[in-house]
Amino acid sequence: MSDTAVISDRRLEREAARRRQSRRGQAIAATSTVVVLGGLAAWILTSPGWPAVRETFFNWEVFKESFPDVLSGFWLDVKLFVIVEIAVLIVGLVVALVRTSRVPALFPVRMLATVFVDLFRGIPTILLVYLIGFGIPALRLSGLPTDPVVLGGLALTLSYSAYVAEVYRAGIDSVSSGQRAAALAVGLTPRQTMRFVVLPQAVRRVVPPLMNDFISLQKDVALVSILGPQEAFRVAQIDASSTFNYTPLVAAALLYLCVTIPMARITDRVTRRTREARGL
């Protein structure tokens, strides 16, 4: 038998062994999952208070009655999330570019950008929604918005822009100085270097943390309800208080999960691809 045939047989044996090991691992994982989830389900379903919990939180009739209204309110959450996300991406990038600039004349602007990040990153988002949502209308100044949806969106934009600006800044700082020097050496201006060399690499590197921030943003959109808009949580809260049944809140939670879980899986996939591209 030739050496090539021996090597081929060994390779086939190794591949078969890996497949057997993979199937064994999958079988063990499936069995342990069934045991754990089955035990947890049995523990909950046989508890003394389960009938009352099922009636209060998982009432199918109440779910069918309340779901259309909750879904209608959820579209406001989705629209607000999309608009705020776009605004956050733009504002956060501008703040990050200002903070990473080394132009002496921009020192006052850099100082303002630093104050912006420290201030709005340090205030809890719910408190910021209160302060802007009720404080701006109280000023009674002409030209300022009074719509609670607009004010809530503004509060979320300010809060998340501070976080996203730091994510952008970390990505910009992670690009090696050698690439900047090389770009300048071939004749690019500092602005062109930032636009065509630094930013594309920085954005690719910070996509996973950015998506994590937007998963949090999707949930925090519900904070706008404290200002009065009829979004999903507010509608569910009204239904629950009128029937003394919390199933509408479960319906709202399911709608949020329908958005956040796919985003989380996409984030995992993007993170994995980013690591593979960087050889980690």
Side-chain angles (χ1 to χ4, degrees):
M1 183 180 293
S2 64
D3 293 340
T4 303
V6 172
I7 294 174
S8 178
D9 290 341
R10 290 178 179 176
R11 182 181 298 110
L12 291 175
E13 291 177 1
R14 287 195 297 268
E15 292 177 354
R18 282 197 293 267
R19 287 195 295 268
R20 289 194 298 270
Q21 184 178 6
S22 176
R23 288 195 295 268
R24 189 183 306 113
Q26 292 173 359
I28 294 173
T31 303
S32 62
T33 301
V34 171
V35 170
V36 172
L37 295 182
L40 182 61
W43 180 55
I44 294 175
L45 296 178
T46 58
S47 62
W50 169 246
V53 170
R54 182 181 58 193
E55 178 65 24
T56 305
F57 289 89
F58 304 101
N59 188 303
W60 178 244
E61 295 300 324
V62 175
F63 182 90
K64 289 192 297 183
E65 292 178 3
S66 62
F67 186 77
D69 293 335
V70 176
L71 179 61
S72 178
F74 186 68
W75 290 121
L76 175 60
D77 290 275
V78 173
K79 290 185 288 186
L80 185 60
F81 165 71
V82 172
I83 295 173
V84 171
E85 179 179 354
I86 295 172
V88 165
L89 285 172
I90 296 172
V91 175
L93 180 59
V94 171
V95 173
L97 290 175
V98 170
R99 293 202 66 189
T100 55
S101 173
R102 295 294 177 265
V103 179
L106 292 180
F107 174 78
V109 183
R110 286 200 303 273
M111 183 177 63
L112 290 176
T114 302
V115 172
F116 175 90
V117 171
D118 291 343
L119 179 65
F120 293 114
R121 195 171 56 164
I123 300 176
T125 305
I126 187 171
L127 183 55
L128 194 60
V129 172
Y130 266 109
L131 293 175
I132 293 179
F134 294 113
I136 289 182
L139 294 175
R140 298 182 181 180
L141 295 176
S142 60
L144 292 180
T146 57
D147 189 330
V149 175
V150 175
L151 295 174
L154 176 61
L156 292 173
T157 300
L158 293 176
S159 180
Y160 274 85
S161 293
Y163 289 100
V164 169
E166 290 302 280
V167 173
Y168 274 132
R169 190 164 72 98
I172 293 172
D173 290 341
S174 69
V175 179
S176 66
S177 58
Q179 297 195 38
R180 300 170 187 258
L184 294 173
V186 298
L188 294 181
T189 65
R191 180 176 298 180
Q192 291 173 329
T193 299
M194 177 62 70
R195 179 181 177 184
F196 297 111
V197 178
V198 177
L199 275 184
Q201 297 182 69
V203 170
R204 282 198 300 269
R205 294 180 182 184
V206 301
V207 165
L210 280 179
M211 295 190 69
N212 283 323
D213 284 336
F214 290 138
I215 291 174
S216 298
L217 174 60
Q218 170 60 38
K219 295 181 293 184
D220 281 349
V221 167
L223 295 176
V224 177
S225 65
I226 63 180
L227 302 179
Q230 299 292 307
E231 52 79 55
F233 174 71
R234 185 65 173 172
V235 172
Q237 193 177 37
I238 293 173
D239 287 349
S241 62
S242 62
T243 61
F244 299 100
N245 189 292
Y246 298 107
T247 303
L249 295 175
V250 175
L254 291 176
L255 288 172
Y256 283 106
L257 288 175
C258 289
V259 175
T260 56
I261 289 180
M263 289 181 65
R265 297 289 73 79
I266 293 172
T267 301
D268 292 341
R269 187 171 182 178
V270 171
T271 301
R272 185 165 56 251
R273 287 186 174 182
T274 302
R275 289 177 177 176
E276 291 174 353
R278 297 174 63 182
L280 298 179

